[in-house]
Amino acid sequence: MEVIIGRAPHQKFSEALMRHSQGLAVAYGDSDLDKSIENRFNETFETECAVFFVGTGTAANSLAIAATMKPGGVVFCHNEAHVAASEGSAPEFLSGGGRLALVGGDHCKIEPDQLRKTASEYPQKFNHLGQATMVTITQATEAGSVYSLDEISELSKVAKEYNIPLHMDGARFANGLVKLGCSPAEMTWKRGVDMVSFGATKNGCWCAEALVVFNRDLFSHFQFIRKRSGHLFSKTRFISAQLEAYLENDLWLKLASHSNAMGAQLEQAIRNSNQVRLAWPSDSNQVFFIADKTKAKIWLDKGARFHPFPTPKGMEKEISDSEQVYRLVASFATKQKNIDELAEIINV
Amino acid sequence: MEVIIGRAPHQKFSEALMRHSQGLAVAYGDSDLDKSIENRFNETFETECAVFFVGTGTAANSLAIAATMKPGGVVFCHNEAHVAASEGSAPEFLSGGGRLALVGGDHCKIEPDQLRKTASEYPQKFNHLGQATMVTITQATEAGSVYSLDEISELSKVAKEYNIPLHMDGARFANGLVKLGCSPAEMTWKRGVDMVSFGATKNGCWCAEALVVFNRDLFSHFQFIRKRSGHLFSKTRFISAQLEAYLENDLWLKLASHSNAMGAQLEQAIRNSNQVRLAWPSDSNQVFFIADKTKAKIWLDKGARFHPFPTPKGMEKEISDSEQVYRLVASFATKQKNIDELAEIINV
Amino acid sequence: MEVIIGRAPHQKFSEALMRHSQGLAVAYGDSDLDKSIENRFNETFETECAVFFVGTGTAANSLAIAATMKPGGVVFCHNEAHVAASEGSAPEFLSGGGRLALVGGDHCKIEPDQLRKTASEYPQKFNHLGQATMVTITQATEAGSVYSLDEISELSKVAKEYNIPLHMDGARFANGLVKLGCSPAEMTWKRGVDMVSFGATKNGCWCAEALVVFNRDLFSHFQFIRKRSGHLFSKTRFISAQLEAYLENDLWLKLASHSNAMGAQLEQAIRNSNQVRLAWPSDSNQVFFIADKTKAKIWLDKGARFHPFPTPKGMEKEISDSEQVYRLVASFATKQKNIDELAEIINV
Amino acid sequence: MEVIIGRAPHQKFSEALMRHSQGLAVAYGDSDLDKSIENRFNETFETECAVFFVGTGTAANSLAIAATMKPGGVVFCHNEAHVAASEGSAPEFLSGGGRLALVGGDHCKIEPDQLRKTASEYPQKFNHLGQATMVTITQATEAGSVYSLDEISELSKVAKEYNIPLHMDGARFANGLVKLGCSPAEMTWKRGVDMVSFGATKNGCWCAEALVVFNRDLFSHFQFIRKRSGHLFSKTRFISAQLEAYLENDLWLKLASHSNAMGAQLEQAIRNSNQVRLAWPSDSNQVFFIADKTKAKIWLDKGARFHPFPTPKGMEKEISDSEQVYRLVASFATKQKNIDELAEIINV
């Protein structure tokens, strides 16, 4: 069992909470601050959108799935996606028994023809298997890759062929955005994305996630869906206060730019080493390498911080029994010094 | 539809978050801070207990119900309890379709013989109705009353007759405790309570709730139950940091003592007024009065802060059509000045 | 725990199954016989309706509730209704966690003003309590009473005020219909009923229930709802064959007329006895009486067949501690002789 | 979308229903007939077992999964298993959100090492992915193959390594049994199977399935699980009457022997044809062949009865774009004449 090391939050977000620690406010998502941050999202995405705050990425993804679920419903996701591999069946449970249908593709990106093939197995009105309800993609992906704008369009096209919405798990939204160098609108609704789990937690917040929905009809009952799963906070300002600081002066983009840049440095360090080899190239702040398991244990004991990562389908033959894929994660707080120390441990 | 006004959190809790805004920590509930606060709970309750952090009271209550649920299971609660009246069916949904059976009693306190009668309607092995799984009581109650230690014992006795656990919704645990002047152990496991939703949010935190379980077997699968409903935070220190400050130097008891004292002042102000009458006596920080609806509207417009409250069963005849029950809530931040202002508005 | 005695089915239904025991047929509800019986329902109800076969009344009711459920949804039913008192939480479970809100009224009939009051507690968009989704009434009721056409209209009016559909649990549909002496259309859609659990099992079939829906939009996903709960039979002719015999030559009405007539004889026998007293008047084939528990035990030992019945709310004071309400059920197979024997046992 | 043709039931089962169409019986599974058939199962399986009647195979499988489910639970099944491919998410829905993890293996048989590998991905207590709860295999499989006794033992061994029960979907139990020529005990509990969905519907009954459980503790709450999903019939004798006829004088084995023998004849006919080729060898009554899609359409128009079947994983390269796998099913009613007619249509 993996011990998962997490960062502390960025100081700015605790300061934001300090700033809002006074006075009265309407509770349950209707405070002035809540409303003003919702408006900020309209500006950020250059369109009128519905915004719902929740506390975890798993809640954001699962409730998005719940909001679009149908009886016997099936959601298409990559077989290594967070919803499938790391959310403890919350998507199924919180959607009242929906099913995930796993689709393949390199580096955690859904391959459009595989999506088309899998979706075609669910003919409308044939109740023995189920009905297609949604496609979900992750940007940046769990494997550090980033969908190009054209790749997003292509998947949106398939989703439209099956008349189902396209959801983006944006737990690392900022990392993907910074990599592509485009606007939030360009990476989402302009390319056919219907809703985004907009994650701020992995990019420095204590816990702050927002479901951003471009087609409000999809979410007509969302208030009840969130409440019945215990995800409505009374003092919602604790989320909106963090998001205020997050969006202010482009802090979110600065944090993600830094972690992506540190990711590139990590990748370079891996490439430079003759002790390990790069598993695949990274587009963002996560870097994956292959190493001998015995050596890896020694490095971990010396203070290196990385985690084992399940071998992706199709790579089984590239990795010997004595080896393992490992994951490195750079954050807003990673410094060049940390990377140098890692390189030193590995290369000794 | 009621607009619910909530307090800001107490400054101490934002300061605690500032203090913990640095360094690395193991995520998902396994940080050193998480562990140390869990130990603090052992000390506070003078026994080895299992402690699980969640973000909302609805989650704490619903997941407690889920953890003890059985197929066709039925939970006994007061008909005005928060689980029945204010949690949007989360207890049913998060427990996979459990049912609440409503029991009566004055001032939101379950009356033991009514509990006995209702529980007896569910004979074991008779699957047409369902099987008894839990009793839940609220301390302090939604109506401002507080169960005496003997009353808790009496309900625990009934629960034992039906071989089901007794849960305490402690959203206002500190208010009840301060009123009784006893220890947490005396108010819970020493009187037969099996688990507590230990709430800190209503008593000043941003959002911090802990499920405290005296019989760990009841919760063997809890990690999975919490995860599958999206209630496991990555940076759980967010909650444990608040609880550290909460328990330190008896801050929690001081805050509750103050709000209870202000509640007593509010009650006195209501008793002194010839414009309104006390609905029933209060034991804690919530005070209920009956007033003419037209007058109430005027007072609210003048800045008074109180909310309509559903007429309890059995009181229908005491309240005329032009009248309504209203609720006043005193908090850690309430000052005598606020009460004087309220009295002035009402009595003009 | 009650031992429930059930009738054998009427011979006609086994004969129908004999008749259809040959040849091939399209499975899963699409056989010619299935289609022809669906058409027979159109004729019976004098309108185009959607018809779905299921095997139990609990499935029919629960899937009707599931088909109209919304997140945080609340269904209004009488507090002694079968869905609330005898279906083992299936309505909640199969609807993914919906809630039943219990409404009062004499003799198992929902009282319109009580419905209005309860429904008004669920203001639209206030997610803390839930959202109204359906009203369900039983015809004939669990207490032997029958709603008049005007009473149905009145409840339909309340349902429309809250913009929710009206469902009729017709486990004893034929008994109600025969009592009123009207057409199926008059007792349902002409009076604002949106869907009916049309039960044939209690009126002589082995197991045959049909969900009849006058507004097909309400049930757009029903095929998936039925399949995902395991209620789609492969040889659906098993049900349609029974229903063919049921509707042929008004067999269903003849069977119900007989059982109602025998119910009237039972009621007369109870009225004639000085050993027991009628609990309340009956409109159909179920008759309820109050008797001394010790005597009742003796009668049961002598071969009388009746069952204890929970004391309805409001009747507690009419029944002493040594007494109990009992239920008598007349069926298509009940003979005057059986009633005479019962009277003899009781009156000795 | 496939139109599924089903057989009529065997005449014997309608006769059994005729025979039991009279007299009174205790309802809801407690009739004398129910009890006597349960005892018959003890004899058939040479051990004390718990027997629960249900109406569909989907209900039997899904409720078995529900009865052993744990929070975040994961059931291991073959990727072409009926639970995964043909039950409309009922296993997930009726188990309250459990997940199916798909395992590979040739001809619908789970390959033990692939099971071991998949199960090892769910380390105990690691809540991010889920916890292993059950293995389910189908005998005879959906692809016409039959597990050998040693293959069953081997899978049972893996299940024991992960401390989870082994379930057998016996929708075609008799076909597997007849093929192996062993006793029911030898094919199940003597080889480590913990429970069986004992199917009689596909082997000639109208609708009759029995969950047979060798370890009753696994199913302590089963009565409630069945009731809350609407699967408890009032006149359960309609199932037990069919099963009485089914088990009497080895009728079930005779029917399955016949359909297996006809399956062998079908396979021979396919092997003899130069128009089609055998997809893989069959062990039972289902035979699979590969044919040109245009030709197949012509044959179907001429009255041949077979269905398209999804291409199994790993066979994609053996089948050209103009071809398709088709399924032939022999039943108790199949005659040599039918096979000759089929051969004639295909070979013209």
Side-chain angles (χ1 to χ4, degrees):
Chain A
M1 186 186 350
E2 186 182 359
V3 172
I4 297 170
I5 298 280
R7 265 269 140 219
H10 193 283
Q11 189 82 359
K12 285 277 184 196
F13 304 113
S14 296
E15 286 168 14
L17 292 172
M18 283 295 288
R19 212 158 50 232
H20 288 283
S21 280
Q22 49 195 340
L24 281 174
V26 180
Y28 295 113
D30 293 317
S31 74
D32 291 344
L33 180 62
D34 296 331
K35 296 297 170 202
S36 94
I37 303 306
E38 288 177 22
N39 282 331
R40 189 75 60 86
F41 272 92
N42 290 345
E43 292 161 23
T44 303
F45 280 92
E46 302 170 58
T47 187
E48 194 90 3
C49 50
V51 181
F52 305 100
F53 301 142
V54 290
T56 69
T58 294
N61 291 335
S62 300
L63 297 184
I65 288 172
T68 56
M69 184 49 56
K70 289 180 278 192
V74 175
V75 171
F76 304 103
C77 66
H78 193 277
N79 57 45
E80 299 164 43
H82 201 264
V83 288
S86 307
E87 302 192 347
S89 293
E92 288 96 330
F93 181 70
L94 291 178
S95 69
R99 179 182 283 193
L100 303 180
L102 308 183
V103 186
D106 289 343
H107 307 332
C108 263
K109 294 203 271 189
I110 291 181
E111 201 280 311
D113 277 341
Q114 292 194 43
L115 173 60
R116 198 170 269 115
K117 183 176 175 306
T118 303
S120 73
E121 292 167 6
Y122 297 83
Q124 262 198 312
K125 306 203 169 165
F126 185 67
N127 64 53
H128 297 265
L129 195 42
Q131 57 185 332
T133 57
M134 188 168 111
V135 178
T136 177
I137 59 175
T138 312
Q139 179 82 320
T141 76
E142 294 77 3
S145 59
V146 171
Y147 285 97
S148 71
L149 297 184
D150 284 350
E151 285 172 334
I152 296 170
S153 289
E154 181 63 24
L155 290 171
S156 161
K157 201 182 137 201
V158 183
K160 280 189 176 45
E161 285 166 24
Y162 289 90
N163 201 25
I164 52 179
L166 176 61
H167 167 261
M168 178 179 280
D169 175 356
R172 296 181 187 86
F173 187 88
N175 299 93
L177 193 69
V178 160
K179 168 68 186 175
L180 295 183
C182 66
S183 73
E186 282 167 337
M187 196 168 84
T188 57
W189 61 270
K190 290 191 175 175
R191 292 293 179 158
V193 171
D194 295 290
M195 49 190 150
V196 177
S197 295
F198 182 89
T201 307
K202 284 188 192 295
N203 197 25
C205 283
W206 272 108
C207 71
E209 308 280 321
L211 249 160
V212 180
V213 187
F214 305 116
N215 177 353
R216 193 179 256 275
D217 287 350
L218 284 173
F219 277 65
S220 55
H221 295 295
F222 193 79
Q223 303 283 356
F224 292 93
I225 289 176
R226 180 170 56 184
K227 178 70 187 178
R228 77 166 177 185
S229 44
H231 283 290
L232 178 62
F233 294 96
S234 52
K235 295 169 191 160
T236 27
R237 280 163 303 146
F238 91 78
I239 292 180
S240 48
Q242 293 179 72
L243 290 174
E244 182 186 49
Y246 190 69
L247 296 175
E248 203 156 64
N249 296 324
D250 289 341
L251 176 61
W252 62 307
L253 301 176
K254 291 171 191 164
L255 297 176
S257 294
H258 178 81
S259 58
N260 275 13
M262 290 297 103
Q265 292 299 318
L266 275 172
E267 180 167 326
Q268 196 52 51
I270 296 299
R271 286 186 191 274
N272 291 345
S273 170
N274 59 2
Q275 296 292 310
V276 298
R277 62 188 193 279
L278 195 67
W280 54 83
S282 169
D283 295 327
S284 60
N285 65 320
Q286 297 196 92
V287 175
F288 299 80
F289 66 91
I290 300 165
D292 179 86
K293 290 186 220 174
T294 315
K295 287 184 186 171
K297 196 171 172 333
I298 295 170
W299 301 334
L300 287 166
D301 288 346
K302 286 190 175 165
R305 275 194 304 273
F306 49 77
H307 300 96
F309 191 79
T311 305
K313 283 198 180 166
M315 277 194 72
E316 293 84 354
K317 289 181 185 160
E318 301 176 36
I319 298 162
S320 75
D321 281 356
S322 61
E323 291 180 325
Q324 164 85 46
V325 179
Y326 295 96
R327 180 173 73 147
L328 289 159
V329 183
S331 83
F332 70 85
T334 303
K335 294 188 176 63
Q336 182 64 43
K337 185 182 66 147
N338 305 130
I339 298 169
D340 296 343
E341 285 166 3
L342 176 80
E344 201 169 330
I345 289 173
I346 286 180
N347 292 322
V348 164
Chain B
M1 187 182 356
E2 185 181 0
V3 172
I4 297 171
I5 298 280
R7 262 271 142 219
H10 193 283
Q11 188 84 357
K12 284 277 185 195
F13 303 114
S14 296
E15 286 168 14
L17 291 172
M18 282 296 286
R19 212 158 50 233
H20 288 283
S21 280
Q22 48 195 340
L24 281 174
V26 180
Y28 295 113
D30 292 318
S31 74
D32 291 344
L33 180 63
D34 296 331
K35 296 299 170 197
S36 95
I37 302 308
E38 288 177 25
N39 282 331
R40 188 76 60 85
F41 272 92
N42 291 344
E43 292 162 23
T44 303
F45 280 93
E46 301 170 58
T47 187
E48 194 90 4
C49 51
V51 180
F52 305 100
F53 302 141
V54 290
T56 68
T58 294
N61 291 335
S62 299
L63 297 185
I65 288 171
T68 56
M69 185 48 57
K70 288 180 279 190
V74 175
V75 170
F76 304 103
C77 66
H78 193 276
N79 57 44
E80 298 164 44
H82 200 262
V83 288
S86 307
E87 301 193 350
S89 292
E92 288 96 330
F93 181 70
L94 291 178
S95 69
R99 180 183 283 192
L100 303 180
L102 308 182
V103 186
D106 288 344
H107 307 332
C108 263
K109 294 202 272 189
I110 291 181
E111 200 279 311
D113 277 342
Q114 293 194 42
L115 173 60
R116 198 171 269 116
K117 182 175 174 310
T118 303
S120 74
E121 291 168 5
Y122 297 83
Q124 262 196 311
K125 307 201 170 169
F126 185 66
N127 63 56
H128 297 266
L129 194 43
Q131 55 184 334
T133 57
M134 190 168 111
V135 178
T136 177
I137 59 175
T138 311
Q139 181 81 323
T141 75
E142 294 77 4
S145 59
V146 172
Y147 285 97
S148 73
L149 296 184
D150 284 350
E151 286 172 334
I152 296 170
S153 290
E154 182 64 22
L155 290 171
S156 161
K157 201 181 136 202
V158 184
K160 279 188 178 45
E161 286 166 24
Y162 289 91
N163 201 25
I164 52 178
L166 177 60
H167 167 262
M168 177 179 279
D169 174 356
R172 295 182 187 87
F173 187 89
N175 299 92
L177 193 70
V178 159
K179 168 68 184 176
L180 295 183
C182 66
S183 73
E186 283 168 336
M187 197 168 84
T188 57
W189 61 270
K190 289 190 176 177
R191 292 293 180 158
V193 172
D194 294 290
M195 49 190 152
V196 177
S197 296
F198 182 90
T201 307
K202 284 188 191 297
N203 197 25
C205 284
W206 273 109
C207 74
E209 308 282 319
L211 248 160
V212 179
V213 186
F214 305 117
N215 177 354
R216 194 180 257 275
D217 287 351
L218 284 173
F219 277 65
S220 56
H221 295 294
F222 192 79
Q223 303 282 355
F224 291 94
I225 289 175
R226 180 171 56 184
K227 178 69 189 178
R228 76 165 177 185
S229 44
H231 283 290
L232 177 62
F233 293 96
S234 51
K235 295 169 190 158
T236 27
R237 280 163 303 148
F238 172 71
I239 294 179
S240 49
Q242 293 179 71
L243 291 174
E244 183 186 50
Y246 191 67
L247 296 175
E248 204 156 65
N249 296 324
D250 289 342
L251 176 62
W252 63 307
L253 302 176
K254 290 170 191 163
L255 297 177
S257 293
H258 178 81
S259 58
N260 275 12
M262 290 298 101
Q265 292 299 319
L266 276 172
E267 178 167 328
Q268 197 52 52
I270 295 299
R271 288 187 189 275
N272 290 345
S273 169
N274 60 3
Q275 296 292 311
V276 298
R277 63 190 192 278
L278 195 67
W280 54 83
S282 170
D283 295 327
S284 60
N285 65 319
Q286 298 195 92
V287 175
F288 300 79
F289 66 91
I290 300 165
D292 180 87
K293 290 186 220 175
T294 314
K295 288 184 185 172
K297 196 169 172 332
I298 295 169
W299 301 333
L300 286 166
D301 289 345
K302 286 188 176 168
R305 274 194 305 275
F306 48 77
H307 300 95
F309 190 78
T311 306
K313 284 198 180 166
M315 278 193 69
E316 293 83 355
K317 290 182 183 156
E318 300 176 37
I319 298 161
S320 75
D321 281 354
S322 62
E323 291 180 326
Q324 163 86 44
V325 180
Y326 296 95
R327 180 173 73 146
L328 288 159
V329 184
S331 82
F332 70 86
T334 304
K335 295 189 175 61
Q336 182 63 44
K337 186 184 65 151
N338 306 129
I339 297 169
D340 296 344
E341 286 166 2
L342 176 79
E344 202 169 328
I345 290 173
I346 286 180
N347 292 322
V348 163
Chain C
M1 186 181 357
E2 186 181 359
V3 171
I4 298 170
I5 299 279
R7 263 271 141 219
H10 193 283
Q11 188 84 358
K12 284 278 185 198
F13 304 113
S14 297
E15 286 168 15
L17 292 171
M18 283 296 285
R19 211 159 51 234
H20 289 283
S21 280
Q22 48 196 340
L24 280 175
V26 180
Y28 296 112
D30 293 317
S31 74
D32 291 345
L33 181 62
D34 296 331
K35 296 297 170 200
S36 95
I37 302 308
E38 287 177 24
N39 283 332
R40 188 76 60 86
F41 272 91
N42 290 344
E43 292 161 25
T44 304
F45 280 92
E46 302 170 61
T47 187
E48 193 90 5
C49 50
V51 180
F52 306 100
F53 302 142
V54 291
T56 68
T58 295
N61 291 335
S62 299
L63 297 185
I65 289 172
T68 56
M69 185 47 58
K70 289 179 276 189
V74 176
V75 170
F76 303 102
C77 66
H78 192 276
N79 57 45
E80 298 164 44
H82 200 263
V83 288
S86 307
E87 302 192 349
S89 293
E92 288 96 329
F93 181 70
L94 291 178
S95 69
R99 180 183 283 192
L100 303 179
L102 308 181
V103 185
D106 287 345
H107 308 331
C108 264
K109 294 202 270 190
I110 290 181
E111 201 279 311
D113 278 342
Q114 292 194 44
L115 173 60
R116 198 170 270 115
K117 182 176 174 308
T118 303
S120 74
E121 291 168 7
Y122 297 83
Q124 260 196 312
K125 306 203 170 167
F126 186 66
N127 63 54
H128 297 265
L129 195 43
Q131 56 184 335
T133 58
M134 189 168 112
V135 177
T136 177
I137 60 175
T138 311
Q139 179 82 320
T141 76
E142 295 77 4
S145 58
V146 171
Y147 285 98
S148 72
L149 297 184
D150 284 350
E151 285 171 334
I152 296 170
S153 290
E154 181 63 23
L155 290 171
S156 160
K157 200 181 136 203
V158 184
K160 279 188 178 46
E161 286 167 23
Y162 289 91
N163 200 26
I164 52 178
L166 176 61
H167 167 261
M168 177 179 280
D169 174 356
R172 296 183 186 86
F173 187 89
N175 299 92
L177 193 69
V178 160
K179 168 68 184 176
L180 295 184
C182 66
S183 72
E186 283 168 337
M187 196 169 83
T188 56
W189 61 270
K190 289 189 176 176
R191 291 294 179 157
V193 172
D194 295 289
M195 49 190 152
V196 177
S197 295
F198 182 89
T201 307
K202 284 186 192 297
N203 197 25
C205 283
W206 274 108
C207 73
E209 307 281 320
L211 248 160
V212 179
V213 187
F214 306 116
N215 177 354
R216 193 179 257 274
D217 287 350
L218 284 173
F219 277 64
S220 56
H221 295 293
F222 192 80
Q223 302 282 356
F224 292 93
I225 288 176
R226 180 171 56 183
K227 177 69 187 179
R228 75 166 178 184
S229 45
H231 283 290
L232 177 62
F233 293 96
S234 51
K235 296 168 189 160
T236 26
R237 280 164 302 148
F238 173 72
I239 294 180
S240 48
Q242 294 179 71
L243 290 175
E244 183 186 49
Y246 190 68
L247 296 175
E248 203 156 65
N249 296 325
D250 288 342
L251 176 60
W252 64 305
L253 301 177
K254 291 170 191 163
L255 297 177
S257 293
H258 178 81
S259 58
N260 276 12
M262 289 299 102
Q265 291 300 316
L266 275 172
E267 178 166 327
Q268 197 52 51
I270 295 299
R271 287 187 189 274
N272 290 345
S273 170
N274 59 2
Q275 295 293 309
V276 299
R277 62 189 194 278
L278 195 67
W280 55 84
S282 169
D283 296 326
S284 61
N285 65 320
Q286 298 196 93
V287 174
F288 299 80
F289 66 90
I290 299 165
D292 180 85
K293 290 186 221 176
T294 315
K295 289 183 184 170
K297 192 163 177 337
I298 295 170
W299 301 333
L300 287 167
D301 289 346
K302 287 188 176 167
R305 274 195 304 275
F306 49 76
H307 301 94
F309 191 79
T311 306
K313 283 198 181 167
M315 277 193 70
E316 293 83 355
K317 288 181 183 158
E318 301 176 37
I319 298 161
S320 75
D321 281 355
S322 62
E323 292 179 325
Q324 163 86 45
V325 180
Y326 295 96
R327 179 173 74 145
L328 289 158
V329 184
S331 83
F332 69 85
T334 303
K335 297 188 174 62
Q336 182 63 45
K337 185 183 67 149
N338 306 130
I339 297 169
D340 295 343
E341 286 166 4
L342 177 79
E344 202 168 328
I345 289 173
I346 286 180
N347 293 322
V348 164
Chain D
M1 186 183 355
E2 187 182 0
V3 171
I4 297 171
I5 299 281
R7 264 268 140 220
H10 193 282
Q11 189 83 357
K12 285 277 184 197
F13 304 113
S14 295
E15 287 168 16
L17 292 172
M18 283 296 286
R19 212 157 51 231
H20 289 283
S21 280
Q22 49 195 339
L24 279 176
V26 180
Y28 296 113
D30 293 317
S31 74
D32 291 345
L33 181 62
D34 296 330
K35 295 298 171 199
S36 95
I37 302 308
E38 288 177 23
N39 282 331
R40 188 76 60 85
F41 272 92
N42 291 344
E43 292 161 23
T44 302
F45 280 92
E46 302 170 60
T47 187
E48 193 90 5
C49 51
V51 181
F52 305 101
F53 302 142
V54 291
T56 68
T58 294
N61 291 335
S62 299
L63 297 185
I65 288 172
T68 57
M69 185 47 58
K70 289 179 277 191
V74 175
V75 171
F76 303 102
C77 67
H78 193 277
N79 56 45
E80 299 164 43
H82 200 264
V83 288
S86 308
E87 302 192 348
S89 293
E92 288 96 331
F93 181 70
L94 292 177
S95 69
R99 179 183 284 193
L100 303 180
L102 308 182
V103 185
D106 288 344
H107 307 331
C108 263
K109 294 203 272 190
I110 291 181
E111 201 280 311
D113 278 342
Q114 292 193 43
L115 173 59
R116 199 171 269 115
K117 183 176 173 308
T118 304
S120 74
E121 292 168 5
Y122 297 83
Q124 262 197 310
K125 306 202 169 167
F126 185 67
N127 63 54
H128 297 265
L129 194 43
Q131 56 184 335
T133 58
M134 189 168 111
V135 178
T136 178
I137 59 175
T138 312
Q139 179 80 322
T141 75
E142 294 77 4
S145 58
V146 171
Y147 285 96
S148 72
L149 297 184
D150 283 351
E151 285 171 335
I152 296 170
S153 290
E154 181 64 23
L155 290 171
S156 161
K157 202 182 134 201
V158 184
K160 279 188 177 46
E161 286 166 23
Y162 289 91
N163 201 25
I164 53 179
L166 176 60
H167 167 263
M168 179 180 278
D169 174 356
R172 297 181 187 87
F173 188 88
N175 298 92
L177 194 68
V178 160
K179 167 68 184 175
L180 294 184
C182 66
S183 73
E186 283 168 337
M187 197 169 83
T188 56
W189 60 272
K190 290 191 175 176
R191 293 292 179 157
V193 172
D194 296 289
M195 49 190 152
V196 177
S197 296
F198 183 90
T201 307
K202 284 186 192 297
N203 197 24
C205 283
W206 273 109
C207 72
E209 308 280 321
L211 247 161
V212 180
V213 187
F214 306 116
N215 177 354
R216 193 179 257 275
D217 287 351
L218 283 173
F219 277 65
S220 55
H221 295 294
F222 192 80
Q223 303 282 357
F224 292 94
I225 288 176
R226 180 170 55 184
K227 178 69 187 178
R228 77 166 176 184
S229 43
H231 284 290
L232 177 63
F233 295 95
S234 52
K235 296 168 190 160
T236 28
R237 280 162 304 147
F238 90 81
I239 293 181
S240 48
Q242 293 179 73
L243 290 175
E244 183 186 49
Y246 190 67
L247 295 174
E248 204 156 64
N249 297 325
D250 290 341
L251 176 61
W252 63 308
L253 301 177
K254 291 170 190 163
L255 297 177
S257 293
H258 178 79
S259 59
N260 275 12
M262 290 297 102
Q265 292 299 319
L266 275 173
E267 179 166 327
Q268 197 52 51
I270 295 299
R271 285 187 191 274
N272 291 345
S273 169
N274 59 3
Q275 295 292 309
V276 298
R277 61 190 195 278
L278 195 68
W280 55 82
S282 169
D283 295 328
S284 61
N285 64 321
Q286 298 195 91
V287 174
F288 299 80
F289 66 91
I290 299 165
D292 179 85
K293 290 187 219 174
T294 314
K295 289 184 185 171
K297 192 164 177 337
I298 295 170
W299 301 334
L300 287 166
D301 288 346
K302 287 189 175 166
R305 274 194 304 275
F306 48 77
H307 299 95
F309 191 78
T311 306
K313 282 198 182 166
M315 276 194 71
E316 293 84 355
K317 289 181 184 160
E318 300 177 36
I319 298 161
S320 74
D321 281 356
S322 61
E323 293 181 325
Q324 163 87 45
V325 180
Y326 295 96
R327 180 173 72 146
L328 289 159
V329 184
S331 83
F332 71 86
T334 303
K335 295 190 177 61
Q336 182 63 44
K337 186 183 66 151
N338 306 129
I339 297 170
D340 297 343
E341 287 166 4
L342 176 79
E344 202 169 328
I345 289 173
I346 286 181
N347 293 321
V348 163

